[in-house]
Amino acid sequence: MVKKRLKDILERVNSGHLSVAQAMEELRFFPYERIPHARVDHHRFMRTGIPEAILCIGKSIDQVKSIAQNILKRGGNLLVTRADEATYQALKDLDERMCHYPVARMITLIQEPCAETEGLVVIITAGTGDIPVAEEAKVTCNALGSRVDTLYDVGVAGIHRLLDEEQMLSRARVICVVAGMEGALASIVGGITECPVIAVPTSIGYGAQFQGLAALLTMINSCAPGVAVVNIDNGFGAGCLAHKINRIGEARRTAP
Amino acid sequence: MVKKRLKDILERVNSGHLSVAQAMEELRFFPYERIPHARVDHHRFMRTGIPEAILCIGKSIDQVKSIAQNILKRGGNLLVTRADEATYQALKDLDERMCHYPVARMITLIQEPCAETEGLVVIITAGTGDIPVAEEAKVTCNALGSRVDTLYDVGVAGIHRLLDEEQMLSRARVICVVAGMEGALASIVGGITECPVIAVPTSIGYGAQFQGLAALLTMINSCAPGVAVVNIDNGFGAGCLAHKINRIGEARRTAP
Amino acid sequence: MVKKRLKDILERVNSGHLSVAQAMEELRFFPYERIPHARVDHHRFMRTGIPEAILCIGKSIDQVKSIAQNILKRGGNLLVTRADEATYQALKDLDERMCHYPVARMITLIQEPCAETEGLVVIITAGTGDIPVAEEAKVTCNALGSRVDTLYDVGVAGIHRLLDEEQMLSRARVICVVAGMEGALASIVGGITECPVIAVPTSIGYGAQFQGLAALLTMINSCAPGVAVVNIDNGFGAGCLAHKINRIGEARRTAP
Amino acid sequence: MVKKRLKDILERVNSGHLSVAQAMEELRFFPYERIPHARVDHHRFMRTGIPEAILCIGKSIDQVKSIAQNILKRGGNLLVTRADEATYQALKDLDERMCHYPVARMITLIQEPCAETEGLVVIITAGTGDIPVAEEAKVTCNALGSRVDTLYDVGVAGIHRLLDEEQMLSRARVICVVAGMEGALASIVGGITECPVIAVPTSIGYGAQFQGLAALLTMINSCAPGVAVVNIDNGFGAGCLAHKINRIGEARRTAP
Amino acid sequence: MVKKRLKDILERVNSGHLSVAQAMEELRFFPYERIPHARVDHHRFMRTGIPEAILCIGKSIDQVKSIAQNILKRGGNLLVTRADEATYQALKDLDERMCHYPVARMITLIQEPCAETEGLVVIITAGTGDIPVAEEAKVTCNALGSRVDTLYDVGVAGIHRLLDEEQMLSRARVICVVAGMEGALASIVGGITECPVIAVPTSIGYGAQFQGLAALLTMINSCAPGVAVVNIDNGFGAGCLAHKINRIGEARRTAP
Amino acid sequence: MVKKRLKDILERVNSGHLSVAQAMEELRFFPYERIPHARVDHHRFMRTGIPEAILCIGKSIDQVKSIAQNILKRGGNLLVTRADEATYQALKDLDERMCHYPVARMITLIQEPCAETEGLVVIITAGTGDIPVAEEAKVTCNALGSRVDTLYDVGVAGIHRLLDEEQMLSRARVICVVAGMEGALASIVGGITECPVIAVPTSIGYGAQFQGLAALLTMINSCAPGVAVVNIDNGFGAGCLAHKINRIGEARRTAP
Amino acid sequence: MVKKRLKDILERVNSGHLSVAQAMEELRFFPYERIPHARVDHHRFMRTGIPEAILCIGKSIDQVKSIAQNILKRGGNLLVTRADEATYQALKDLDERMCHYPVARMITLIQEPCAETEGLVVIITAGTGDIPVAEEAKVTCNALGSRVDTLYDVGVAGIHRLLDEEQMLSRARVICVVAGMEGALASIVGGITECPVIAVPTSIGYGAQFQGLAALLTMINSCAPGVAVVNIDNGFGAGCLAHKINRIGEARRTAP
Amino acid sequence: MVKKRLKDILERVNSGHLSVAQAMEELRFFPYERIPHARVDHHRFMRTGIPEAILCIGKSIDQVKSIAQNILKRGGNLLVTRADEATYQALKDLDERMCHYPVARMITLIQEPCAETEGLVVIITAGTGDIPVAEEAKVTCNALGSRVDTLYDVGVAGIHRLLDEEQMLSRARVICVVAGMEGALASIVGGITECPVIAVPTSIGYGAQFQGLAALLTMINSCAPGVAVVNIDNGFGAGCLAHKINRIGEARRTAP
C-alpha cells in the first residue's frame, strides 16, 4: 500500500499533475513523522520489507498508543511486541479489530494483509517453556505473510522426538529453533537439514544459564554451518528474518 | 555427484540388480568412513547441501591430510579453513590442482563444480583489517556456487561511503556484513536493505573489544530486524548460510 | 554566588576587617559541613564548576531531605537525581518552589540562576525508551546554564531520520548521544560531526544487552575518534560534561 | 601395594612385633614426605583410590623430576600430566621403563599394575581436535585399571555417526563425552544412555567459544539429567572419576 | 512397568498375536505423546533409567497439570521440580496421593515404587541455606529408589564437623556435596573419600558470589580428582546422577 | 567463657575427678551441637577468636531462631547479620535484652562482654549510601571488643574532606574503607597511612558498577600496597578482620 | 587545505568556469578514493576536523603503505597509530620527512601544519608504564595543533605528587588522565578541576586488572561528574577528543 | 633513615640553624624527585611504612635502572618486583651487592636493614606451582624486617598435610595463604586459626580457572571471617600487608 501511494505521487509528477516542490513536500513527510517522543518510520516497509514495530520495553502505554495511532492513521500494519494486557486494553480503544496474542505478548492489526507465502517457515522449540518466544516468531511471520508450522517440545534429551519429524523439517524453507537451557537443539537441526536455520536462545533455565547467555554461546559456536543467531528471547527478530528468507523463494510464483 | 551415486544404488535395488543386503552395505558405508582420528561425513552434502569442511584448528597437518585424502578419493569437493602455508604444501602433495587463498586462510579443490547462482551475495567490511574474514566467506560462497560481490572498508565513521553504494546493495539477495571494532555497520545495513543480513563480528580492535565480544554484542542487539549473527571471525559459517539463503531464490530458474 | 562570598571574605582579610584566624574558621566551614550521614561539599562548585548533586540511590528520603536542607540554607543550587515522587513530596516541604521532572527523575531548585550559554548542547536519542536518560542530561544542562536542543528517536535502523537533521547537528557545540539496544548511533554521529560527542549507553534492551553493557562496549569501541563514554543511564554525568565543554566556548562573549 | 604395606605394619603391631610408638613413626611418615618444594602424598591412594599425580603446569622440570623420584622410590605408580617431551627425557633418566603418551601429554610408570576391570569406560569425542583430552582420560583410566573403548569424531553436526554406535554405548558402564565448540554432544548422549555421563568441555574452537567456556556452560546446563562436568580440558579428572564409578560395579566379581 | 509393557508387545509379535503393523503403531505411540504444548517422553525411563520430570520454570500451572495428567494416565512415576504451593494444589486435584516436599520444592507420585538400593547416597551441605537444594537431591534419589543419608551444615569454616563424620562418609557409595558461598567443601570431601563426588554449587551467598558462579568455579577447578559438577542449585540433576552411579553397585545383589 | 569451661574439664581430668571417657564425651559435645538444620559451632570462638555468627540469607526465621536459642543456652555471644525487622521480633521472644541495629541490619546479644581494646579501628565511607555496610562493620567490632571511630561521606570527588581528617587516620590501628561507585577511596587511604587497610566494596552505584564488581576490581588492583579486600557489602567480615588485627596490638597492655 | 580546495571548486561552479557535471565528478572523487583494500576518506577532515588516521592493527605493512601513499598524494596530513619499526622503515621510503615516535608507536607527516592553539591540553599518567599511551595522545594533539603539557607518574598511592601540581592543572583547558592498575586517578582529578576530564584506562597491571577492564570500570563509575572515558590504551582517541574540546575555546582568538 | 633525616631538618629549624624557607626547600625536594619518566616517592616510607617499590611490568630496563639509581643515591632500600635476569644484570652495574631472587622474581638492596620482628609471618602454599608468588611475599617480608616461616604444598586435596602443622600455624601472628586452582585452602586456614589471614589467589591452573579469577572468587567469598584478599599473584602486596599487621604486635617489645 505504501509502495502504491509512492508510485502515485511519482506518476503525477511525471504527468505534470504535481510540481516537484509539491512532491518534495509529500515525500519529505513520507519517511517518518514527528509525534511527541517518536519519529514514526512509515517508509521502513519500503526500505526493508518489514513495517516498523513497537517494542513496548521502556515505553509508557501512552507513548505506545500515540505511536500506534499514527501508524494506523496512515493505513500501515501494526505490530506491537512485549505487550501486556493493559497495553492491549489501551490499543483496543483505537480500533476494535485489534488482535491480542497473550502467549506471544503481541498485538497486531493487519489493515493491508499480504498474500500468504507458498514457502513454509517451521518453528521448533526444545521445551514447553520456550513456547512464548516461538509464538512471537509465529505471529510475526503470519503478520508478514509467511506460512508457519510448529513443532514444540522436541529437545535433545529425547532426540527421537525430533528425528520422527524429519518429514516436516524437509518441507521447510527456513527453520527457527527456539531453545533455552543449553540450547543444543540448534546444532542438531543444523546438521540434518538443507535449509537456513535461525537460532533463538531463550532465557529459560536457571543457575549458570545466566538468563540465556549459555544458550546464546552454544548456538553461536554451533559446529553445524548454516546456523545464525538472534538475541535472547527475540522471537520478533527471528520471525522477520525467517520471512525475509522465505520471501526469496516466492519470486518463482509471482513471475509470469 | 553424491546424489547421483545414491540414486544409482536405489535404482539398481529397484530393478533387482542389487539385493537389499548389498544396498544396506553400500549405504552404511556411505554416510561416513572411519579413518584414524576422524569419521568423514560424506553424505553431509546430501543432508545439508554443504560438504564437510576441515577446520584446521586443533588438528595436526597429518590429520588434515588424511581427512582430505579420504574426501578426494570419493570425488568430494574439498574445503579447508584456517589453513596455513605448511598445510597447503602438505595438501598440494595429494593433488597439484589444490587452490590456496592465503588471505582467506583457505584451501579448496572443487572436483565437481556447481553451476553459479544468478542471485548475488554481497560481502561488506567495515575496515581493511576485516578483509581476511570476508575473504573466507567469499571463497566459501564461490566454492558452493554462489556469485559474490564485495564492498570493503565502508565503516560507519564515514557512512557516506556505504550510502554511495546503495545500488550495489539493492542488487544483493543476501548481504554479509563483516565488522570488528564496535560492529555498528550491521545495524546500518539492516536498516536500509530488504534482504537478509548475516552479521560476522571480527576480533579486529583492541582493549574493551575483547577479541570480538564487543562487536558480537552490538550485532546480536541490533535494532534492525532481519539481522542474524554467526561466531566471531566465522567467515566460513557466514558463507555457508549466505549460500543456503541465496539458493532458495534459484528454484525459479531451474523450474521448467 | 559562592565565589562572590569567598571574595568577600578574602577582601575583608586583606583590608584588616577579618583576622586570619577568623577567616580560617569561616573557610574551614566553607568546604563542607558535617550533618549526620553526610558532609556537604559546598565549595565543589568553586573547584569544579558543578554544584554537589544528591544521587538518591542508597539514601533514605530523610537523608536526602537533610542534605538538601543544608544546601538550600547556604543559598546553593539544588540538583537531586534518581528521585521518585515521594522524595519530591518530602522536598516540597522545604521550599514550595521545588521543580520536579518526573520523566528525568530529577528535582531542582535554582536559587542563583546562571546566564544561559550562547553555545548549544544537542541531545539525541536512538529510541523512545532512551528519553528519560536524555531528559536527565537536559535538565542538568539547563540547571547549569547550557542551552539545549533535543532530537529524539533517530536510531540507526532508520538512519535517514538522523541525516535529515544534519543542520541541527551543525549548530551544536557538543552532542550527547543517548542510546540503548546496540548503541550504534554514537559512532554514526561521531563520524559526521566536528564537535565532541558524549555517548551515554542506556539499559534499554533485553537479552544479551545485559542492562546496558552491550551499548557501553559498542560506544567505547567506537571507530569514530572524538567520542567518549559515561556510565550506563548516567544522564546527569553527560549533562555536567556537556556543560563543562560548552562553557569553554563562552569566554569569547564575556571578554570585553 | 600401599594397602598391603599398611596391613603389614598393622599386623606386626597386632602380633606384638612392632611397638605402637614404632608404628606411629612409620605411619606418620606414611602419609606424605617432605621434599624440597613438595609434600608427596603417598597415602592419597589409600584415601581416595587414586595415586597422587603430578600436574606439570607451573612446575620446573627439576621439581617434577624430584617429586617423581620420591614416588618411584616408595614403589608407587607414577602419573604425570601436561608433560612435554623435555620432561619425558628428564624422567626417563630415572627409569628406562617410563611410558610417554605424546598425544595425551602424559608420562606413566605403573610399578604395581591393577587388575583390569570387567566394566567398560567409553570415551567419545565430538571432533578430531578433542582427541588429546580424550587420550588423557584414556591413559588415566588404563593406568588405574579400567577397560576403555573410544569413539572419536561423532559430533552433533552428523548425529547419525553417534546413533550408529548405540550398541557400543549400551556396553558402557560410564561414558566420558569430550567436546569443544558448542559441546552439545553431552546432552545427546545423556538423553540416550542409562549410564552416568561425564562431560569434558575442551578449549577447541574460536571466537565466542572463549577457550572452552561456551562448551562448559552448555554442558553444565544440559537438559539431560545424569550428566556432570569437569574442568575444561581436564581429561585426567574425567578419567579418575570414570574409574571411580566403574569400580563400583566390580564388587560383583570379587565377591566369592 | 514400561519395560514390562514393551516386552508384552514384542512377545505378542513373536507369537503371531500381533502384526508388525499393529506393533509399529503401538510402539510409535509409545515413545512420547503429543498433548498441547508438550510431547511427553514416556520411554525416557527405558532409555535413561530416569522418568521424565517436569521442571516448573517457564511453564504455567495448567501446562504442568496437563503434562502430569498424561504421565499418570499411563502409569508412570511423577516427579515435579521447582514447584510452589499453588502447583501442588492444582496437582492434588488429579490424585489425592500426591506428595509435596515444600523445602525441596518438589511434588512426586510414585505409582510403581522401585526396590530400595543397598548402596548409600550421602548428601552433605556446607550451610543451612543449602538445605533446599540438598532436599531436592534427596527426594529425587528416594523417588528413584536410592537409599540416602544426610549430613547438613558441615562447611569448611569448621572443618572438624566434617572430619568427625568420616565414618558416615566411608559407608557412602556416592556423595553429593551441596555448597554455596565459596563452595570449598567439595574439594575437601573429594580429598578424603574413595567414592565419586557430585558437587552442587548453590546460589546462597551475596556480592561476588554472583548467584552461584563463584561456587561453580571453585568446584570445577577442584584440585581433588573424582569430583564432577552439575548446574547451580540443580539438586534434581545431582540426585539423578547419584542414583545412576549408585545403581551400578546393585548388580551384585541381583545376580544369582 | 568457653575457654574457662574447657579448662575446667581438663583440670578435672588432670585431678582425676573426670575419667578420660567422660571427658571425651563432654568434649565431643563441645565443638558443635546438632540441632535440626544446623550444627552450631560453639568452639569456633576458641579456634578463631570470633564466635559463630548467623547469616540470615537463605535461612527461614525459624531456623535462625533455633540456632540463636542454642547459642544463647550455652552462654555464647550472639551475632546475627542481614537480619530484618521480623527476625528481630522473633529473636526478642528468646531474650528481651536483644539489641537491634536496623541500619546495620544486625541483631546482637552480648552475654559475656569483652574488655574494650585500647587500639582504634577507624571506619570510613565514601558516600552516604555506604553507611549500612560500615555500620555492620562497626557493630561487629564493638561486639568483639574493638573501639571504633567513623568518618562518613569523604569520597574522592572531594578529596580535601579526607585530607582534613588526617589526624584521625593517624590514631587508627586499622582502617576499614567502605566504598561503592568506583571505590577509589581505598587506594587514597592506602597511600597516606601506615596501618593496614581493609577495603570493603559496596553495591552502591548503577550501570557498569555491576552490583559492586567495579568497586571490587578497583580495590583488588589498588596501587597502594597494604590494602586487602573482603566481599562486596561484607561489613561483618571486615569487622572481624579489623578486630583480629587490632587485637594483635593489645598484648602490650595485658602483659604484666 | 581540503576546505580551500572545496571552496575553489564551488566558486568555479558559481562563476561558470566549471559545469555542474564536472563539479559532481570532482566532488564524487573527493570524499574517498578506492584503492585496493581501502577507501580513503579524504573529506573526513572536513566533516569531523580530524584527518583519517591509519590504525595498523590487522593491516599488513603493504596495506598501510598503500593507504599512506594515497593520503600523501592528495596533500593530506598523515597519522599512523600502533606502528612498529618495520612500518616506519616502509613509510620512510614514501617520504624522507616521515616522523617516528617509537614510545607512542606513531608515525606522522604533517604536510599542512595547523596553527598551535592557545589553549592547553594537560596529559597526566598514574605510572611510568602508562607513558606510551599518554605519548600517543600527546603526539596526536600536537599533530592536530593543540598545545600540550605532561605530568607523568603522579598516581594516587602518593596523592601529594598530584596536589603539588594544582597550578599546572588550573592552566589546562582539557585534561587527559591515563592510568592502569585500578585507574583511581581520574576520579581525583575530576574532583579538583573545573575543566573536562578524558579518562584513558590502560592495560598496565596484572591479575584481576584483566588487561585494562578494572581501570575502565573504575573510570566509567567515577563519582566525579565531568569525566568521560575512551577505550583501553586509546591514546589516539583521547588526543582527538581533547583537541576537539580545546578548539572550542579558540574561537575567541580568531574572531575579529 | 629517612625519618632520622627529617627529624634532623626539623630540629635545625627549631634551633634556628635553618630558616623556614630553607627547610621548605629541602622538604619540598624530600617527597619525590622528578627524573625523566618517574617521580620517585622518597617519603612514601614515612607515610606508609613501606618504601616505594619498582614494579617492572610496563617499564623498560633503562627506566627501572634510572629509578633504582635515584632511590639508592638517597640511601633508600630498593625493592624491585617482577624482575627478570636482564634487569638484574643491569641493576648489578649500579651496585655489586644487589640481591637477586629468581624464583620470587625480585631484586633487593637493603642499605638500612630494619630489626627483625619477634612476630612470625607464616606463608602457606597449596601447591608447588604457587611457590614463586609465596617467595615474592617472603622476600618482601624479610626486606621489611618480618620473620617468616613457610609451609609449601599443603593443599586441600590432602588436608591432613595442613592439620599436621597446626603447631606452626599457632605460632604465627599473620598467615598468608597462596593458592591457585580452586583456592579453597584460604577458607580452611581461616577456620582453624585465630590470626588474620591474607589470601593470595594465583594464576596456577587451567581452563575455567581463568588465570586466577576462580581462586580470587573463592577467597573473596570465604565463609571464614577474618580473611582478606589481594590481587592475583600479588605476593608483594601480601608481604607488605603481612608486615604492616605483624608490626602492630611489635610495640610490646620496644616499649620500655
Side-chain angles (χ1 to χ4, degrees), chain D residues 204-235:
Chain D
I204 291 297
Y206 57 90
Q209 213 255 356
F210 297 126
Q211 281 77 55
L213 178 60
L216 169 57
L217 288 180
T218 303
M219 289 166 167
I220 212 101
N221 282 291
S222 176
C223 53
V227 176
V229 187
V230 297
N231 197 1
I232 297 163
D233 292 335
N234 187 5

Side-chain angles (χ1 to χ4, degrees), chain C residues 29 71 136 234:
Chain C
F29 149 90
I71 290 172
E136 194 184 71
N234 188 6

Side-chain angles (χ1 to χ4, degrees), chain H residues 1-58:
Chain H
M1 150 256 14
V2 181
K3 241 173 183 161
K4 208 165 50 189
R5 199 183 290 183
L6 178 68
K7 217 174 149 195
D8 259 18
I9 293 173
L10 295 178
E11 282 168 353
R12 278 187 293 143
V13 170
N14 197 26
S15 62
H17 293 84
L18 197 73
S19 75
V20 167
Q22 284 167 323
M24 282 301 286
E25 196 47 38
E26 283 217 36
L27 284 173
R28 218 190 109 66
F29 148 90
F30 229 125
Y32 56 87
E33 186 172 8
R34 294 197 203 181
I35 54 173
H37 302 305
R39 281 155 201 261
V40 185
D41 189 358
H42 296 296
H43 84 160
R44 181 172 295 181
F45 180 76
M46 278 172 51
R47 285 195 328 272
T48 71
I50 308 284
E52 186 176 18
I54 308 173
L55 170 67
C56 292
I57 292 174

Side-chain angles (χ1 to χ4, degrees), chain A residues 31-32 34 37-39 41 43-44 47 57-59 63 82 213 231-232 234, chain C residues 128-129 131 151-154 157-158 160-161 164-165 204-208 210:
Chain A
Y32 56 87
R34 293 198 204 180
H37 303 305
R39 280 155 202 261
D41 189 358
H43 83 159
R44 181 172 296 179
R47 286 196 326 274
I57 292 175
K59 297 196 183 73
Q63 290 175 334
R82 304 291 175 103
L213 178 60
N231 197 0
I232 297 162
N234 188 5
Chain C
T128 301
I131 291 177
L151 201 54
Y152 290 164
D153 196 27
V154 294
H160 61 291
R161 295 182 295 190
D164 281 8
E165 301 285 356
I204 292 298
Y206 56 90
F210 298 126

Side-chain angles (χ1 to χ4, degrees), chain G residues 105-161:
Chain G
R105 291 161 304 172
M106 284 186 75
I107 300 163
T108 66
L109 205 167
I110 305 302
Q111 305 194 98
E112 298 239 359
C114 310
E116 198 184 50
T117 60
E118 191 187 34
L120 180 69
V121 175
V122 169
I123 301 174
I124 306 179
T125 76
T128 301
D130 305 316
I131 291 177
V133 176
E135 287 288 306
E136 194 184 71
K138 184 185 169 187
V139 172
T140 301
C141 277
N142 285 161
L144 299 173
S146 270
R147 200 160 58 91
V148 176
D149 248 4
T150 61
L151 200 55
Y152 290 165
D153 196 25
V154 293
V156 298
I159 194 66
H160 60 292
R161 296 182 294 190

